[in-house]
mmCIF file of all heavy atoms in Angstrom:
data_model
loop_
_atom_site.group_PDB
_atom_site.id
_atom_site.type_symbol
_atom_site.label_atom_id
_atom_site.label_comp_id
_atom_site.label_asym_id
_atom_site.label_seq_id
_atom_site.Cartn_x
_atom_site.Cartn_y
_atom_site.Cartn_z
ATOM 1 N N LEU A 27 56.037 -16.234 6.176
ATOM 2 C CA LEU A 27 54.810 -16.560 5.572
ATOM 3 C C LEU A 27 54.932 -17.503 4.331
ATOM 4 O O LEU A 27 53.986 -18.200 4.031
ATOM 5 C CB LEU A 27 54.009 -15.311 5.276
ATOM 6 C CG LEU A 27 53.075 -14.771 6.327
ATOM 7 C CD1 LEU A 27 52.345 -13.596 5.815
ATOM 8 C CD2 LEU A 27 52.150 -15.809 6.858
ATOM 9 N N SER A 56 51.565 -42.830 26.250
ATOM 10 C CA SER A 56 51.109 -43.990 25.527
ATOM 11 C C SER A 56 50.157 -43.494 24.367
ATOM 12 O O SER A 56 50.349 -44.141 23.311
ATOM 13 C CB SER A 56 50.360 -44.953 26.420
ATOM 14 O OG SER A 56 49.239 -44.343 27.054
ATOM 15 N N ASN A 60 51.077 -43.944 20.357
ATOM 16 C CA ASN A 60 50.074 -44.560 19.453
ATOM 17 C C ASN A 60 49.859 -43.749 18.229
ATOM 18 O O ASN A 60 49.886 -44.252 17.061
ATOM 19 C CB ASN A 60 48.781 -44.724 20.217
ATOM 20 C CG ASN A 60 47.739 -45.532 19.432
ATOM 21 O OD1 ASN A 60 46.695 -45.058 19.115
ATOM 22 N ND2 ASN A 60 48.027 -46.757 19.197
ATOM 23 N N ASP A 63 52.892 -43.677 15.957
ATOM 24 C CA ASP A 63 53.069 -44.977 15.217
ATOM 25 C C ASP A 63 52.181 -44.800 13.904
ATOM 26 O O ASP A 63 52.707 -45.160 12.810
ATOM 27 C CB ASP A 63 52.521 -46.068 16.067
ATOM 28 C CG ASP A 63 52.492 -47.421 15.351
ATOM 29 O OD1 ASP A 63 53.357 -47.555 14.452
ATOM 30 O OD2 ASP A 63 51.724 -48.221 15.745
ATOM 31 N N VAL A 64 50.971 -44.294 14.000
ATOM 32 C CA VAL A 64 50.150 -44.142 12.879
ATOM 33 C C VAL A 64 50.766 -43.248 11.831
ATOM 34 O O VAL A 64 50.799 -43.470 10.573
ATOM 35 C CB VAL A 64 48.737 -43.617 13.227
ATOM 36 C CG1 VAL A 64 47.855 -43.370 11.939
ATOM 37 C CG2 VAL A 64 47.997 -44.621 14.148
ATOM 38 N N LYS A 159 48.348 -65.582 -4.605
ATOM 39 C CA LYS A 159 47.555 -66.798 -4.663
ATOM 40 C C LYS A 159 48.310 -67.970 -5.295
ATOM 41 O O LYS A 159 48.128 -69.090 -4.834
ATOM 42 C CB LYS A 159 46.255 -66.569 -5.446
ATOM 43 C CG LYS A 159 45.180 -65.860 -4.696
ATOM 44 C CD LYS A 159 43.938 -65.780 -5.466
ATOM 45 C CE LYS A 159 42.856 -65.031 -4.787
ATOM 46 N NZ LYS A 159 41.698 -64.740 -5.664
ATOM 47 N N GLY A 163 48.278 -70.041 -2.254
ATOM 48 C CA GLY A 163 46.985 -70.624 -2.430
ATOM 49 C C GLY A 163 45.958 -69.877 -1.653
ATOM 50 O O GLY A 163 44.759 -70.187 -1.658
ATOM 51 N N THR A 164 46.339 -68.805 -0.958
ATOM 52 C CA THR A 164 45.354 -67.941 -0.303
ATOM 53 C C THR A 164 45.666 -66.512 -0.598
ATOM 54 O O THR A 164 46.592 -66.206 -1.449
ATOM 55 C CB THR A 164 45.278 -68.144 1.273
ATOM 56 O OG1 THR A 164 46.550 -67.497 1.805
ATOM 57 C CG2 THR A 164 45.326 -69.546 1.649
ATOM 58 N N ARG A 168 51.866 -65.896 5.253
ATOM 59 C CA ARG A 168 51.839 -65.900 6.772
ATOM 60 C C ARG A 168 53.172 -66.629 7.123
ATOM 61 O O ARG A 168 53.854 -67.282 6.417
ATOM 62 C CB ARG A 168 50.720 -66.714 7.294
ATOM 63 C CG ARG A 168 49.405 -66.121 6.891
ATOM 64 C CD ARG A 168 48.338 -67.083 7.129
ATOM 65 N NE ARG A 168 48.133 -67.180 8.592
ATOM 66 C CZ ARG A 168 46.965 -67.616 9.153
ATOM 67 N NH1 ARG A 168 45.977 -67.931 8.376
ATOM 68 N NH2 ARG A 168 46.978 -67.751 10.442
ATOM 69 N N LEU A 264 54.017 -57.232 11.084
ATOM 70 C CA LEU A 264 52.826 -57.970 11.170
ATOM 71 C C LEU A 264 53.023 -59.496 10.964
ATOM 72 O O LEU A 264 52.122 -60.319 11.281
ATOM 73 C CB LEU A 264 51.789 -57.499 10.066
ATOM 74 C CG LEU A 264 51.425 -55.983 10.186
ATOM 75 C CD1 LEU A 264 50.387 -55.609 9.055
ATOM 76 C CD2 LEU A 264 50.797 -55.660 11.531
ATOM 77 N N SER A 266 52.563 -61.248 8.753
ATOM 78 C CA SER A 266 51.723 -61.800 7.677
ATOM 79 C C SER A 266 51.164 -60.614 6.879
ATOM 80 O O SER A 266 51.032 -59.493 7.340
ATOM 81 C CB SER A 266 50.510 -62.462 8.330
ATOM 82 O OG SER A 266 49.373 -61.693 8.407
ATOM 83 N N GLN A 268 48.717 -59.200 3.786
ATOM 84 C CA GLN A 268 47.461 -59.421 2.912
ATOM 85 C C GLN A 268 47.792 -58.882 1.500
ATOM 86 O O GLN A 268 48.465 -57.964 1.311
ATOM 87 C CB GLN A 268 46.220 -58.626 3.414
ATOM 88 C CG GLN A 268 45.659 -59.367 4.646
ATOM 89 C CD GLN A 268 44.374 -58.572 5.133
ATOM 90 O OE1 GLN A 268 44.022 -58.690 6.285
ATOM 91 N NE2 GLN A 268 43.879 -57.645 4.401
ATOM 92 N N GLN A 311 43.414 -39.177 13.085
ATOM 93 C CA GLN A 311 42.862 -40.541 13.002
ATOM 94 C C GLN A 311 42.724 -41.200 14.416
ATOM 95 O O GLN A 311 41.666 -41.789 14.736
ATOM 96 C CB GLN A 311 43.766 -41.393 12.172
ATOM 97 C CG GLN A 311 43.169 -42.605 11.581
ATOM 98 C CD GLN A 311 43.873 -43.172 10.402
ATOM 99 O OE1 GLN A 311 45.092 -43.048 10.319
ATOM 100 N NE2 GLN A 311 43.240 -43.880 9.550
ATOM 101 N N GLN A 312 43.712 -41.016 15.219
ATOM 102 C CA GLN A 312 43.637 -41.646 16.541
ATOM 103 C C GLN A 312 42.825 -40.767 17.575
ATOM 104 O O GLN A 312 42.159 -41.172 18.416
ATOM 105 C CB GLN A 312 45.012 -41.985 17.162
ATOM 106 C CG GLN A 312 45.796 -43.035 16.373
ATOM 107 C CD GLN A 312 45.041 -44.290 16.078
ATOM 108 O OE1 GLN A 312 44.286 -44.438 15.150
ATOM 109 N NE2 GLN A 312 45.143 -45.285 16.978
ATOM 110 N N TYR A 316 40.074 -41.629 20.390
ATOM 111 C CA TYR A 316 40.256 -41.260 21.764
ATOM 112 C C TYR A 316 39.027 -40.544 22.329
ATOM 113 O O TYR A 316 38.710 -40.561 23.429
ATOM 114 C CB TYR A 316 41.524 -40.536 22.074
ATOM 115 C CG TYR A 316 42.711 -41.450 22.019
ATOM 116 C CD1 TYR A 316 43.843 -41.123 21.236
ATOM 117 C CD2 TYR A 316 42.711 -42.622 22.749
ATOM 118 C CE1 TYR A 316 44.936 -41.984 21.240
ATOM 119 C CE2 TYR A 316 43.818 -43.442 22.772
ATOM 120 C CZ TYR A 316 44.884 -43.196 21.986
ATOM 121 O OH TYR A 316 45.991 -43.957 21.955
ATOM 122 N N ASN A 318 36.139 -41.042 21.316
ATOM 123 C CA ASN A 318 34.963 -41.903 21.069
ATOM 124 C C ASN A 318 33.986 -41.384 20.067
ATOM 125 O O ASN A 318 32.800 -41.633 20.217
ATOM 126 C CB ASN A 318 34.245 -42.242 22.399
ATOM 127 C CG ASN A 318 35.052 -43.146 23.284
ATOM 128 O OD1 ASN A 318 36.068 -43.706 22.859
ATOM 129 N ND2 ASN A 318 34.753 -43.224 24.538
ATOM 130 N N ALA A 321 33.950 -42.914 13.885
ATOM 131 C CA ALA A 321 35.099 -42.886 12.957
ATOM 132 C C ALA A 321 34.628 -42.801 11.542
ATOM 133 O O ALA A 321 35.407 -42.489 10.660
ATOM 134 C CB ALA A 321 35.955 -44.078 13.145
ATOM 135 N N TYR A 345 50.842 -14.827 -2.813
ATOM 136 C CA TYR A 345 51.591 -13.815 -1.995
ATOM 137 C C TYR A 345 53.065 -13.988 -2.294
ATOM 138 O O TYR A 345 53.729 -12.918 -2.437
ATOM 139 C CB TYR A 345 51.371 -14.074 -0.478
ATOM 140 C CG TYR A 345 52.094 -13.134 0.421
ATOM 141 C CD1 TYR A 345 51.676 -11.833 0.505
ATOM 142 C CD2 TYR A 345 53.102 -13.562 1.189
ATOM 143 C CE1 TYR A 345 52.385 -10.967 1.244
ATOM 144 C CE2 TYR A 345 53.889 -12.708 1.976
ATOM 145 C CZ TYR A 345 53.466 -11.369 2.065
ATOM 146 O OH TYR A 345 54.167 -10.539 2.892
ATOM 147 N N MET B 5 45.708 -10.828 1.029
ATOM 148 C CA MET B 5 46.420 -10.712 2.356
ATOM 149 C C MET B 5 45.439 -10.901 3.490
ATOM 150 O O MET B 5 45.712 -11.720 4.438
ATOM 151 C CB MET B 5 47.078 -9.314 2.553
ATOM 152 C CG MET B 5 48.417 -9.275 1.910
ATOM 153 S SD MET B 5 49.599 -10.343 2.798
ATOM 154 C CE MET B 5 49.511 -9.439 4.349
ATOM 155 N N LEU B 12 45.019 -18.405 8.030
ATOM 156 C CA LEU B 12 45.992 -18.700 9.033
ATOM 157 C C LEU B 12 45.417 -18.555 10.398
ATOM 158 O O LEU B 12 45.763 -19.380 11.404
ATOM 159 C CB LEU B 12 47.328 -17.822 8.941
ATOM 160 C CG LEU B 12 48.055 -18.014 7.653
ATOM 161 C CD1 LEU B 12 49.197 -17.057 7.555
ATOM 162 C CD2 LEU B 12 48.647 -19.484 7.614
ATOM 163 N N PRO B 15 42.789 -21.918 12.217
ATOM 164 C CA PRO B 15 43.198 -23.087 13.073
ATOM 165 C C PRO B 15 43.437 -22.459 14.580
ATOM 166 O O PRO B 15 43.183 -23.163 15.571
ATOM 167 C CB PRO B 15 44.503 -23.520 12.571
ATOM 168 C CG PRO B 15 44.608 -23.050 11.171
ATOM 169 C CD PRO B 15 43.824 -21.788 11.150
ATOM 170 N N ASP B 78 32.189 -48.857 22.349
ATOM 171 C CA ASP B 78 32.770 -47.998 21.270
ATOM 172 C C ASP B 78 33.258 -48.891 20.107
ATOM 173 O O ASP B 78 34.065 -49.776 20.356
ATOM 174 C CB ASP B 78 33.976 -47.293 21.925
ATOM 175 C CG ASP B 78 34.534 -46.282 20.806
ATOM 176 O OD1 ASP B 78 33.669 -45.627 20.095
ATOM 177 O OD2 ASP B 78 35.788 -46.130 20.738
ATOM 178 N N GLN B 80 34.959 -49.553 16.481
ATOM 179 C CA GLN B 80 35.898 -49.011 15.561
ATOM 180 C C GLN B 80 36.237 -50.165 14.581
ATOM 181 O O GLN B 80 36.238 -51.358 14.937
ATOM 182 C CB GLN B 80 37.232 -48.613 16.242
ATOM 183 C CG GLN B 80 37.122 -47.533 17.323
ATOM 184 C CD GLN B 80 36.871 -46.185 16.757
ATOM 185 O OE1 GLN B 80 37.153 -45.915 15.558
ATOM 186 N NE2 GLN B 80 36.353 -45.313 17.543
ATOM 187 N N GLN B 86 47.290 -53.527 10.007
ATOM 188 C CA GLN B 86 48.113 -52.690 10.911
ATOM 189 C C GLN B 86 47.225 -51.579 11.588
ATOM 190 O O GLN B 86 47.481 -51.312 12.746
ATOM 191 C CB GLN B 86 49.241 -51.986 10.033
ATOM 192 C CG GLN B 86 50.230 -51.127 10.878
ATOM 193 C CD GLN B 86 51.420 -50.841 10.165
ATOM 194 O OE1 GLN B 86 51.900 -51.622 9.291
ATOM 195 N NE2 GLN B 86 52.032 -49.720 10.433
ATOM 196 N N ARG B 87 46.357 -51.047 10.884
ATOM 197 C CA ARG B 87 45.454 -50.021 11.412
ATOM 198 C C ARG B 87 44.646 -50.601 12.447
ATOM 199 O O ARG B 87 44.359 -50.075 13.557
ATOM 200 C CB ARG B 87 44.580 -49.391 10.332
ATOM 201 C CG ARG B 87 45.183 -48.431 9.439
ATOM 202 C CD ARG B 87 45.354 -47.045 10.095
ATOM 203 N NE ARG B 87 44.153 -46.604 10.590
ATOM 204 C CZ ARG B 87 43.970 -46.086 11.897
ATOM 205 N NH1 ARG B 87 44.933 -45.993 12.712
ATOM 206 N NH2 ARG B 87 42.697 -45.685 12.275
ATOM 207 N N GLN B 90 46.559 -50.974 15.519
ATOM 208 C CA GLN B 90 46.694 -49.611 16.167
ATOM 209 C C GLN B 90 45.423 -49.261 16.959
ATOM 210 O O GLN B 90 45.502 -48.525 18.002
ATOM 211 C CB GLN B 90 47.093 -48.606 15.175
ATOM 212 C CG GLN B 90 48.547 -48.707 14.640
ATOM 213 C CD GLN B 90 48.859 -48.012 13.402
ATOM 214 O OE1 GLN B 90 47.935 -47.774 12.584
ATOM 215 N NE2 GLN B 90 50.098 -47.898 13.024
ATOM 216 N N LEU B 91 44.368 -49.566 16.418
ATOM 217 C CA LEU B 91 43.090 -49.296 17.105
ATOM 218 C C LEU B 91 42.942 -50.060 18.380
ATOM 219 O O LEU B 91 42.458 -49.617 19.387
ATOM 220 C CB LEU B 91 41.888 -49.593 16.195
ATOM 221 C CG LEU B 91 41.655 -48.627 15.033
ATOM 222 C CD1 LEU B 91 40.542 -49.178 14.047
ATOM 223 C CD2 LEU B 91 41.254 -47.286 15.529
ATOM 224 N N ALA B 94 45.041 -48.359 20.879
ATOM 225 C CA ALA B 94 44.374 -47.173 21.352
ATOM 226 C C ALA B 94 43.369 -47.512 22.507
ATOM 227 O O ALA B 94 43.287 -46.801 23.460
ATOM 228 C CB ALA B 94 43.624 -46.460 20.243
ATOM 229 N N ASN B 97 45.294 -48.194 25.601
ATOM 230 C CA ASN B 97 45.660 -46.907 26.167
ATOM 231 C C ASN B 97 44.516 -46.321 27.014
ATOM 232 O O ASN B 97 44.748 -45.626 28.023
ATOM 233 C CB ASN B 97 46.091 -45.888 25.099
ATOM 234 C CG ASN B 97 47.386 -46.229 24.527
ATOM 235 O OD1 ASN B 97 48.167 -46.970 25.041
ATOM 236 N ND2 ASN B 97 47.718 -45.698 23.398
ATOM 237 N N GLN B 98 43.309 -46.428 26.481
ATOM 238 C CA GLN B 98 42.158 -45.861 27.098
ATOM 239 C C GLN B 98 41.815 -46.682 28.311
ATOM 240 O O GLN B 98 40.816 -46.267 29.034
ATOM 241 C CB GLN B 98 40.937 -45.758 26.148
ATOM 242 C CG GLN B 98 41.132 -44.681 25.081
ATOM 243 C CD GLN B 98 40.042 -44.635 24.038
ATOM 244 O OE1 GLN B 98 39.983 -45.615 23.266
ATOM 245 N NE2 GLN B 98 39.253 -43.627 23.991
ATOM 246 N N ALA B 108 40.574 -61.773 11.353
ATOM 247 C CA ALA B 108 40.682 -62.263 10.055
ATOM 248 C C ALA B 108 42.159 -62.498 9.797
ATOM 249 O O ALA B 108 42.470 -63.365 8.972
ATOM 250 C CB ALA B 108 40.138 -61.227 9.035
ATOM 251 N N ASN B 109 43.032 -61.854 10.487
ATOM 252 C CA ASN B 109 44.462 -61.886 10.252
ATOM 253 C C ASN B 109 45.192 -62.119 11.600
ATOM 254 O O ASN B 109 45.768 -61.182 12.044
ATOM 255 C CB ASN B 109 44.982 -60.758 9.488
ATOM 256 C CG ASN B 109 46.266 -60.930 8.876
ATOM 257 O OD1 ASN B 109 47.097 -61.645 9.459
ATOM 258 N ND2 ASN B 109 46.556 -60.313 7.802
ATOM 259 N N ASP B 111 47.926 -63.432 12.791
ATOM 260 C CA ASP B 111 49.325 -63.185 13.018
ATOM 261 C C ASP B 111 49.603 -61.647 13.220
ATOM 262 O O ASP B 111 50.367 -61.277 14.039
ATOM 263 C CB ASP B 111 50.114 -63.584 11.659
ATOM 264 C CG ASP B 111 50.173 -65.107 11.666
ATOM 265 O OD1 ASP B 111 49.977 -65.673 12.633
ATOM 266 O OD2 ASP B 111 50.536 -65.501 10.515
ATOM 267 N N ALA B 112 48.863 -60.865 12.354
ATOM 268 C CA ALA B 112 49.119 -59.442 12.375
ATOM 269 C C ALA B 112 48.592 -58.818 13.740
ATOM 270 O O ALA B 112 49.103 -57.799 14.122
ATOM 271 C CB ALA B 112 48.468 -58.794 11.241
ATOM 272 N N ARG B 136 43.053 -69.757 16.962
ATOM 273 C CA ARG B 136 44.127 -69.003 17.602
ATOM 274 C C ARG B 136 43.767 -68.251 18.857
ATOM 275 O O ARG B 136 44.594 -67.740 19.610
ATOM 276 C CB ARG B 136 44.741 -68.000 16.583
ATOM 277 C CG ARG B 136 45.150 -68.663 15.297
ATOM 278 C CD ARG B 136 46.443 -69.451 15.400
ATOM 279 N NE ARG B 136 47.590 -68.751 15.745
ATOM 280 C CZ ARG B 136 48.328 -68.073 14.965
ATOM 281 N NH1 ARG B 136 48.058 -68.050 13.695
ATOM 282 N NH2 ARG B 136 49.479 -67.491 15.377
ATOM 283 N N ALA B 176 38.972 -67.183 -5.124
ATOM 284 C CA ALA B 176 39.918 -68.369 -5.232
ATOM 285 C C ALA B 176 40.774 -68.282 -3.990
ATOM 286 O O ALA B 176 41.230 -67.293 -3.475
ATOM 287 C CB ALA B 176 40.745 -68.131 -6.458
ATOM 288 N N GLY B 177 40.974 -69.509 -3.425
ATOM 289 C CA GLY B 177 41.952 -69.629 -2.337
ATOM 290 C C GLY B 177 41.479 -69.100 -0.947
ATOM 291 O O GLY B 177 42.219 -69.130 0.019
#
Side-chain angles (χ1 to χ4, degrees):
Chain A
L27 268 186
S56 56
N60 188 240
D63 177 28
V64 175
K159 277 188 187 171
T164 73
R168 304 167 68 156
L264 300 182
S266 94
Q268 283 180 197
Q311 200 159 29
Q312 295 308 89
Y316 284 129
N318 290 346
Y345 179 71
Chain B
M5 274 295 295
L12 292 175
D78 182 39
Q80 301 286 343
Q86 183 164 330
R87 284 281 308 133
Q90 286 161 343
L91 289 172
N97 288 344
Q98 286 174 297
N109 196 329
D111 289 342
R136 305 290 294 280

